[in-house]
Amino acid sequence: MSEAAPASYKGWAGIKRAFGTPSALTMALLGFGSGLPFLLIASQTLSTRLRDIGLDLGSIGLISLASFFYLLKFVWAPLIDRYAFPLTAFLGRRRSWLLASQLGVVGGLFGLAFVQPELGVIPLVLWVLVASFAGATQDSVVDAYRIEIAPESAQAALAATYTLGYRIGLILAGAGALYLAQFEGWIVAYLAMSALMLLPILTTLLCREPEQPQSRIQRRIDFAGAFWQPIASFFSGNGTVLALVLLAFVGLYKFPDQVIGVMAGPFYLDSGFSKADIATVSKLFGVWVGIGGAFIGGVAVAAFGFRRMLLVAALGVGLSNLAFLLMAHNPGQLWAFYAALSADNLFQGFAGTVLVAFMSSLTDRNFTATQYALLVSLANLPGKFVGGVSGYIVEATSYSTFFLLSSTTVIPTLLLLIWLWPRIREHAAR
């Protein structure tokens, strides 16, 4: 890992160069496929749909746990690293899994279109499980593909192009789905989203397969080894203490943002905004602010390296939660909605690119899918579980108290970064 990218990938010139490569276009389209299902099965669009039919906040928080496959994708990632998916093996190791998982997402969204949660949530939970397993698998393969298709020096730039596609997917799954739900109903909204998955499917059929690392081709890995060797490699390459601290740091890095994720949609409705208002401000305006933050993050990493940008991003993610107090104390005021979403999405996008580039630099390319999936799962696990009970926290206190408490959760991250500060440069020299 290098502290800063080589000159050829620094600044805006590096971003422009990345956009000019076929790999960057491929990553934008695959990122679109990863971003599209997430809000529909694991976050705000689904929770807004459930609140729209009158479900209580506690139940909404618990139902969000049905998307737990996004947290556990490292469990089956070793199979993705070792084998091609049997039915589509002719496409190669990465593309075979991409196609299979994308078709699974289509099926899951199609099923969710026709459930009626007001009559019972069990069918909805089952389809969320199907869609989240397929979506989590797709994410693992896309992440591995991005790391393997380009050199390490290009990862910050490709993280930005991937984020562009991912955020466009969020716009359509957020604003697009909510607009359709407002005027045509939830069935049409989910059917339209499932149809949009045809674009990443076509990309998978046309893109090239990454080359496997030579060392991996030469070394035989038995079935059990496919599971333990990626973990052993991470600890042996970093040392036990540094490896544990890195895992804890990644796990807590975006915790303040993830804690409030499930409650965001209900909070917007309870603040007096319509679904169309939420679509315009949160899912359209806010996502474009997030895209801007992602590109600023890519340039900043290329220009200044990981260490300082990890600090800036961590502070931004934690403190931006306080902006939601403007909405809590000014319900129904659009200016407060725009101000809060500007701060939140700007630092979400910035931190997302910084964290993706940092985690990419930590992976061994012999075990890309497994190690990166483990890091991503850790980056989402703590916030996901607290998000599952966040509705009860709000009901027991208030939205304002909840946002204040969520902002203070950045403190453990900052303490870990203090310990890592002199070691990030040392680790970069390995």
Side-chain angles (χ1 to χ4, degrees), residues 387-415:
V389 298
S390 58
Y392 295 108
I393 296 174
V394 173
E395 290 178 337
T397 57
S398 66
Y399 280 117
S400 294
T401 301
F402 177 63
F403 294 134
L404 284 169
L405 291 174
S406 70
S407 188
T408 65
T409 60
V410 74
I411 294 174
T413 303
L414 296 176
L415 294 176

PDB file of all heavy atoms in Angstrom, residues 387-415:
ATOM      1  N   GLY A 387     -28.788  -0.039  14.451  1.00  0.00           N
ATOM      2  CA  GLY A 387     -29.900   0.461  13.656  1.00  0.00           C
ATOM      3  C   GLY A 387     -31.154  -0.374  13.834  1.00  0.00           C
ATOM      4  O   GLY A 387     -32.275   0.133  13.755  1.00  0.00           O
ATOM      5  N   GLY A 388     -30.976  -1.682  14.107  1.00  0.00           N
ATOM      6  CA  GLY A 388     -32.122  -2.556  14.299  1.00  0.00           C
ATOM      7  C   GLY A 388     -32.955  -2.209  15.517  1.00  0.00           C
ATOM      8  O   GLY A 388     -34.151  -2.504  15.567  1.00  0.00           O
ATOM      9  N   VAL A 389     -32.343  -1.581  16.519  1.00  0.00           N
ATOM     10  CA  VAL A 389     -33.089  -1.177  17.721  1.00  0.00           C
ATOM     11  C   VAL A 389     -33.228   0.336  17.805  1.00  0.00           C
ATOM     12  O   VAL A 389     -33.678   0.864  18.819  1.00  0.00           O
ATOM     13  CB  VAL A 389     -32.406  -1.708  19.001  1.00  0.00           C
ATOM     14  CG1 VAL A 389     -32.379  -3.228  18.990  1.00  0.00           C
ATOM     15  CG2 VAL A 389     -30.989  -1.154  19.140  1.00  0.00           C
ATOM     16  N   SER A 390     -32.842   1.037  16.729  1.00  0.00           N
ATOM     17  CA  SER A 390     -32.870   2.498  16.757  1.00  0.00           C
ATOM     18  C   SER A 390     -34.275   3.047  16.943  1.00  0.00           C
ATOM     19  O   SER A 390     -34.460   4.102  17.558  1.00  0.00           O
ATOM     20  CB  SER A 390     -32.247   3.064  15.477  1.00  0.00           C
ATOM     21  OG  SER A 390     -32.929   2.588  14.330  1.00  0.00           O
ATOM     22  N   GLY A 391     -35.274   2.337  16.425  1.00  0.00           N
ATOM     23  CA  GLY A 391     -36.647   2.795  16.604  1.00  0.00           C
ATOM     24  C   GLY A 391     -37.050   2.848  18.067  1.00  0.00           C
ATOM     25  O   GLY A 391     -37.751   3.777  18.504  1.00  0.00           O
ATOM     26  N   TYR A 392     -36.607   1.870  18.846  1.00  0.00           N
ATOM     27  CA  TYR A 392     -36.921   1.864  20.269  1.00  0.00           C
ATOM     28  C   TYR A 392     -36.199   2.991  21.003  1.00  0.00           C
ATOM     29  O   TYR A 392     -36.730   3.569  21.966  1.00  0.00           O
ATOM     30  CB  TYR A 392     -36.535   0.509  20.876  1.00  0.00           C
ATOM     31  CG  TYR A 392     -37.346  -0.640  20.328  1.00  0.00           C
ATOM     32  CD1 TYR A 392     -36.774  -1.566  19.453  1.00  0.00           C
ATOM     33  CD2 TYR A 392     -38.687  -0.797  20.670  1.00  0.00           C
ATOM     34  CE1 TYR A 392     -37.517  -2.624  18.943  1.00  0.00           C
ATOM     35  CE2 TYR A 392     -39.443  -1.852  20.169  1.00  0.00           C
ATOM     36  CZ  TYR A 392     -38.850  -2.764  19.302  1.00  0.00           C
ATOM     37  OH  TYR A 392     -39.588  -3.788  18.788  1.00  0.00           O
ATOM     38  N   ILE A 393     -34.965   3.312  20.545  1.00  0.00           N
ATOM     39  CA  ILE A 393     -34.227   4.422  21.157  1.00  0.00           C
ATOM     40  C   ILE A 393     -34.972   5.733  20.937  1.00  0.00           C
ATOM     41  O   ILE A 393     -35.128   6.554  21.845  1.00  0.00           O
ATOM     42  CB  ILE A 393     -32.797   4.501  20.582  1.00  0.00           C
ATOM     43  CG1 ILE A 393     -32.009   3.235  20.936  1.00  0.00           C
ATOM     44  CG2 ILE A 393     -32.064   5.738  21.112  1.00  0.00           C
ATOM     45  CD1 ILE A 393     -30.642   3.168  20.290  1.00  0.00           C
ATOM     46  N   VAL A 394     -35.453   5.945  19.691  1.00  0.00           N
ATOM     47  CA  VAL A 394     -36.188   7.166  19.385  1.00  0.00           C
ATOM     48  C   VAL A 394     -37.473   7.241  20.201  1.00  0.00           C
ATOM     49  O   VAL A 394     -37.817   8.290  20.761  1.00  0.00           O
ATOM     50  CB  VAL A 394     -36.502   7.251  17.873  1.00  0.00           C
ATOM     51  CG1 VAL A 394     -37.424   8.431  17.587  1.00  0.00           C
ATOM     52  CG2 VAL A 394     -35.210   7.382  17.072  1.00  0.00           C
ATOM     53  N   GLU A 395     -38.205   6.132  20.277  1.00  0.00           N
ATOM     54  CA  GLU A 395     -39.468   6.139  21.013  1.00  0.00           C
ATOM     55  C   GLU A 395     -39.262   6.366  22.503  1.00  0.00           C
ATOM     56  O   GLU A 395     -40.113   6.946  23.183  1.00  0.00           O
ATOM     57  CB  GLU A 395     -40.212   4.819  20.766  1.00  0.00           C
ATOM     58  CG  GLU A 395     -40.756   4.698  19.330  1.00  0.00           C
ATOM     59  CD  GLU A 395     -41.448   3.367  19.070  1.00  0.00           C
ATOM     60  OE1 GLU A 395     -41.145   2.400  19.810  1.00  0.00           O
ATOM     61  OE2 GLU A 395     -42.264   3.297  18.144  1.00  0.00           O
ATOM     62  N   ALA A 396     -38.121   5.912  23.034  1.00  0.00           N
ATOM     63  CA  ALA A 396     -37.837   6.092  24.456  1.00  0.00           C
ATOM     64  C   ALA A 396     -37.297   7.477  24.779  1.00  0.00           C
ATOM     65  O   ALA A 396     -37.371   7.926  25.929  1.00  0.00           O
ATOM     66  CB  ALA A 396     -36.842   5.037  24.923  1.00  0.00           C
ATOM     67  N   THR A 397     -36.746   8.172  23.779  1.00  0.00           N
ATOM     68  CA  THR A 397     -36.162   9.503  24.004  1.00  0.00           C
ATOM     69  C   THR A 397     -36.825  10.498  23.059  1.00  0.00           C
ATOM     70  O   THR A 397     -37.936  10.928  23.286  1.00  0.00           O
ATOM     71  CB  THR A 397     -34.634   9.477  23.796  1.00  0.00           C
ATOM     72  OG1 THR A 397     -34.332   8.990  22.471  1.00  0.00           O
ATOM     73  CG2 THR A 397     -33.951   8.572  24.812  1.00  0.00           C
ATOM     74  N   SER A 398     -36.128  10.878  22.017  1.00  0.00           N
ATOM     75  CA  SER A 398     -36.648  11.768  20.982  1.00  0.00           C
ATOM     76  C   SER A 398     -35.674  11.732  19.814  1.00  0.00           C
ATOM     77  O   SER A 398     -34.545  11.231  19.934  1.00  0.00           O
ATOM     78  CB  SER A 398     -36.766  13.209  21.492  1.00  0.00           C
ATOM     79  OG  SER A 398     -35.469  13.747  21.756  1.00  0.00           O
ATOM     80  N   TYR A 399     -36.119  12.243  18.668  1.00  0.00           N
ATOM     81  CA  TYR A 399     -35.216  12.308  17.520  1.00  0.00           C
ATOM     82  C   TYR A 399     -33.988  13.164  17.837  1.00  0.00           C
ATOM     83  O   TYR A 399     -32.859  12.821  17.475  1.00  0.00           O
ATOM     84  CB  TYR A 399     -35.938  12.869  16.299  1.00  0.00           C
ATOM     85  CG  TYR A 399     -36.798  11.873  15.565  1.00  0.00           C
ATOM     86  CD1 TYR A 399     -38.183  12.047  15.467  1.00  0.00           C
ATOM     87  CD2 TYR A 399     -36.237  10.771  14.939  1.00  0.00           C
ATOM     88  CE1 TYR A 399     -38.981  11.144  14.781  1.00  0.00           C
ATOM     89  CE2 TYR A 399     -37.025   9.857  14.250  1.00  0.00           C
ATOM     90  CZ  TYR A 399     -38.391  10.052  14.165  1.00  0.00           C
ATOM     91  OH  TYR A 399     -39.161   9.148  13.489  1.00  0.00           O
ATOM     92  N   SER A 400     -34.172  14.289  18.522  1.00  0.00           N
ATOM     93  CA  SER A 400     -33.047  15.181  18.828  1.00  0.00           C
ATOM     94  C   SER A 400     -32.008  14.477  19.695  1.00  0.00           C
ATOM     95  O   SER A 400     -30.798  14.544  19.417  1.00  0.00           O
ATOM     96  CB  SER A 400     -33.546  16.442  19.539  1.00  0.00           C
ATOM     97  OG  SER A 400     -34.352  17.225  18.687  1.00  0.00           O
ATOM     98  N   THR A 401     -32.455  13.787  20.725  1.00  0.00           N
ATOM     99  CA  THR A 401     -31.527  13.052  21.582  1.00  0.00           C
ATOM    100  C   THR A 401     -30.811  11.962  20.803  1.00  0.00           C
ATOM    101  O   THR A 401     -29.598  11.733  20.976  1.00  0.00           O
ATOM    102  CB  THR A 401     -32.280  12.429  22.765  1.00  0.00           C
ATOM    103  OG1 THR A 401     -32.920  13.466  23.509  1.00  0.00           O
ATOM    104  CG2 THR A 401     -31.337  11.663  23.667  1.00  0.00           C
ATOM    105  N   PHE A 402     -31.538  11.298  19.932  1.00  0.00           N
ATOM    106  CA  PHE A 402     -30.968  10.231  19.113  1.00  0.00           C
ATOM    107  C   PHE A 402     -29.840  10.767  18.235  1.00  0.00           C
ATOM    108  O   PHE A 402     -28.766  10.151  18.129  1.00  0.00           O
ATOM    109  CB  PHE A 402     -32.079   9.607  18.262  1.00  0.00           C
ATOM    110  CG  PHE A 402     -31.611   8.540  17.320  1.00  0.00           C
ATOM    111  CD1 PHE A 402     -31.034   7.365  17.793  1.00  0.00           C
ATOM    112  CD2 PHE A 402     -31.761   8.701  15.951  1.00  0.00           C
ATOM    113  CE1 PHE A 402     -30.616   6.374  16.912  1.00  0.00           C
ATOM    114  CE2 PHE A 402     -31.346   7.724  15.069  1.00  0.00           C
ATOM    115  CZ  PHE A 402     -30.782   6.549  15.552  1.00  0.00           C
ATOM    116  N   PHE A 403     -30.041  11.921  17.601  1.00  0.00           N
ATOM    117  CA  PHE A 403     -29.005  12.487  16.740  1.00  0.00           C
ATOM    118  C   PHE A 403     -27.789  12.939  17.546  1.00  0.00           C
ATOM    119  O   PHE A 403     -26.647  12.799  17.098  1.00  0.00           O
ATOM    120  CB  PHE A 403     -29.574  13.644  15.921  1.00  0.00           C
ATOM    121  CG  PHE A 403     -30.629  13.222  14.931  1.00  0.00           C
ATOM    122  CD1 PHE A 403     -31.816  13.943  14.811  1.00  0.00           C
ATOM    123  CD2 PHE A 403     -30.446  12.113  14.139  1.00  0.00           C
ATOM    124  CE1 PHE A 403     -32.788  13.556  13.910  1.00  0.00           C
ATOM    125  CE2 PHE A 403     -31.420  11.709  13.231  1.00  0.00           C
ATOM    126  CZ  PHE A 403     -32.587  12.427  13.125  1.00  0.00           C
ATOM    127  N   LEU A 404     -28.017  13.481  18.726  1.00  0.00           N
ATOM    128  CA  LEU A 404     -26.895  13.866  19.584  1.00  0.00           C
ATOM    129  C   LEU A 404     -26.070  12.649  19.995  1.00  0.00           C
ATOM    130  O   LEU A 404     -24.832  12.668  19.936  1.00  0.00           O
ATOM    131  CB  LEU A 404     -27.411  14.588  20.831  1.00  0.00           C
ATOM    132  CG  LEU A 404     -27.857  16.040  20.650  1.00  0.00           C
ATOM    133  CD1 LEU A 404     -28.583  16.530  21.899  1.00  0.00           C
ATOM    134  CD2 LEU A 404     -26.654  16.946  20.356  1.00  0.00           C
ATOM    135  N   LEU A 405     -26.749  11.597  20.406  1.00  0.00           N
ATOM    136  CA  LEU A 405     -26.047  10.386  20.807  1.00  0.00           C
ATOM    137  C   LEU A 405     -25.280   9.773  19.639  1.00  0.00           C
ATOM    138  O   LEU A 405     -24.138   9.309  19.804  1.00  0.00           O
ATOM    139  CB  LEU A 405     -27.045   9.360  21.361  1.00  0.00           C
ATOM    140  CG  LEU A 405     -27.703   9.702  22.705  1.00  0.00           C
ATOM    141  CD1 LEU A 405     -28.771   8.682  23.042  1.00  0.00           C
ATOM    142  CD2 LEU A 405     -26.654   9.763  23.808  1.00  0.00           C
ATOM    143  N   SER A 406     -25.891   9.770  18.451  1.00  0.00           N
ATOM    144  CA  SER A 406     -25.220   9.176  17.288  1.00  0.00           C
ATOM    145  C   SER A 406     -23.939   9.917  16.942  1.00  0.00           C
ATOM    146  O   SER A 406     -22.952   9.313  16.503  1.00  0.00           O
ATOM    147  CB  SER A 406     -26.169   9.170  16.077  1.00  0.00           C
ATOM    148  OG  SER A 406     -26.393  10.488  15.596  1.00  0.00           O
ATOM    149  N   SER A 407     -23.912  11.221  17.150  1.00  0.00           N
ATOM    150  CA  SER A 407     -22.725  12.006  16.835  1.00  0.00           C
ATOM    151  C   SER A 407     -21.559  11.660  17.756  1.00  0.00           C
ATOM    152  O   SER A 407     -20.394  11.675  17.330  1.00  0.00           O
ATOM    153  CB  SER A 407     -23.048  13.495  16.933  1.00  0.00           C
ATOM    154  OG  SER A 407     -21.976  14.276  16.469  1.00  0.00           O
ATOM    155  N   THR A 408     -21.842  11.326  18.996  1.00  0.00           N
ATOM    156  CA  THR A 408     -20.765  11.009  19.943  1.00  0.00           C
ATOM    157  C   THR A 408     -20.110   9.661  19.669  1.00  0.00           C
ATOM    158  O   THR A 408     -19.026   9.378  20.195  1.00  0.00           O
ATOM    159  CB  THR A 408     -21.294  11.005  21.387  1.00  0.00           C
ATOM    160  OG1 THR A 408     -22.254   9.939  21.544  1.00  0.00           O
ATOM    161  CG2 THR A 408     -21.943  12.329  21.733  1.00  0.00           C
ATOM    162  N   THR A 409     -20.730   8.829  18.822  1.00  0.00           N
ATOM    163  CA  THR A 409     -20.160   7.512  18.555  1.00  0.00           C
ATOM    164  C   THR A 409     -18.913   7.575  17.683  1.00  0.00           C
ATOM    165  O   THR A 409     -18.289   6.547  17.428  1.00  0.00           O
ATOM    166  CB  THR A 409     -21.201   6.600  17.880  1.00  0.00           C
ATOM    167  OG1 THR A 409     -21.624   7.181  16.639  1.00  0.00           O
ATOM    168  CG2 THR A 409     -22.414   6.395  18.780  1.00  0.00           C
ATOM    169  N   VAL A 410     -18.522   8.770  17.231  1.00  0.00           N
ATOM    170  CA  VAL A 410     -17.277   8.912  16.480  1.00  0.00           C
ATOM    171  C   VAL A 410     -16.058   8.845  17.397  1.00  0.00           C
ATOM    172  O   VAL A 410     -14.931   8.632  16.924  1.00  0.00           O
ATOM    173  CB  VAL A 410     -17.275  10.242  15.688  1.00  0.00           C
ATOM    174  CG1 VAL A 410     -17.059  11.436  16.626  1.00  0.00           C
ATOM    175  CG2 VAL A 410     -16.194  10.222  14.601  1.00  0.00           C
ATOM    176  N   ILE A 411     -16.222   9.002  18.695  1.00  0.00           N
ATOM    177  CA  ILE A 411     -15.092   9.081  19.622  1.00  0.00           C
ATOM    178  C   ILE A 411     -14.217   7.824  19.599  1.00  0.00           C
ATOM    179  O   ILE A 411     -12.982   7.921  19.513  1.00  0.00           O
ATOM    180  CB  ILE A 411     -15.593   9.392  21.045  1.00  0.00           C
ATOM    181  CG1 ILE A 411     -16.209  10.800  21.077  1.00  0.00           C
ATOM    182  CG2 ILE A 411     -14.452   9.286  22.057  1.00  0.00           C
ATOM    183  CD1 ILE A 411     -16.872  11.154  22.401  1.00  0.00           C
ATOM    184  N   PRO A 412     -14.783   6.595  19.664  1.00  0.00           N
ATOM    185  CA  PRO A 412     -13.913   5.408  19.587  1.00  0.00           C
ATOM    186  C   PRO A 412     -13.101   5.344  18.295  1.00  0.00           C
ATOM    187  O   PRO A 412     -11.943   4.914  18.303  1.00  0.00           O
ATOM    188  CB  PRO A 412     -14.904   4.242  19.682  1.00  0.00           C
ATOM    189  CG  PRO A 412     -16.094   4.805  20.385  1.00  0.00           C
ATOM    190  CD  PRO A 412     -16.184   6.218  19.920  1.00  0.00           C
ATOM    191  N   THR A 413     -13.690   5.777  17.177  1.00  0.00           N
ATOM    192  CA  THR A 413     -12.961   5.792  15.902  1.00  0.00           C
ATOM    193  C   THR A 413     -11.750   6.711  15.986  1.00  0.00           C
ATOM    194  O   THR A 413     -10.653   6.372  15.521  1.00  0.00           O
ATOM    195  CB  THR A 413     -13.895   6.252  14.775  1.00  0.00           C
ATOM    196  OG1 THR A 413     -15.030   5.392  14.712  1.00  0.00           O
ATOM    197  CG2 THR A 413     -13.166   6.228  13.436  1.00  0.00           C
ATOM    198  N   LEU A 414     -11.930   7.875  16.556  1.00  0.00           N
ATOM    199  CA  LEU A 414     -10.832   8.833  16.668  1.00  0.00           C
ATOM    200  C   LEU A 414      -9.730   8.305  17.586  1.00  0.00           C
ATOM    201  O   LEU A 414      -8.538   8.509  17.311  1.00  0.00           O
ATOM    202  CB  LEU A 414     -11.356  10.168  17.192  1.00  0.00           C
ATOM    203  CG  LEU A 414     -12.349  10.901  16.275  1.00  0.00           C
ATOM    204  CD1 LEU A 414     -12.861  12.166  16.953  1.00  0.00           C
ATOM    205  CD2 LEU A 414     -11.704  11.231  14.934  1.00  0.00           C
ATOM    206  N   LEU A 415     -10.096   7.601  18.647  1.00  0.00           N
ATOM    207  CA  LEU A 415      -9.096   7.028  19.542  1.00  0.00           C
ATOM    208  C   LEU A 415      -8.267   5.963  18.822  1.00  0.00           C
ATOM    209  O   LEU A 415      -7.034   5.891  18.990  1.00  0.00           O
ATOM    210  CB  LEU A 415      -9.772   6.440  20.777  1.00  0.00           C
ATOM    211  CG  LEU A 415     -10.451   7.453  21.712  1.00  0.00           C
ATOM    212  CD1 LEU A 415     -11.177   6.724  22.846  1.00  0.00           C
ATOM    213  CD2 LEU A 415      -9.443   8.438  22.279  1.00  0.00           C
TER     214      LEU A 415
END
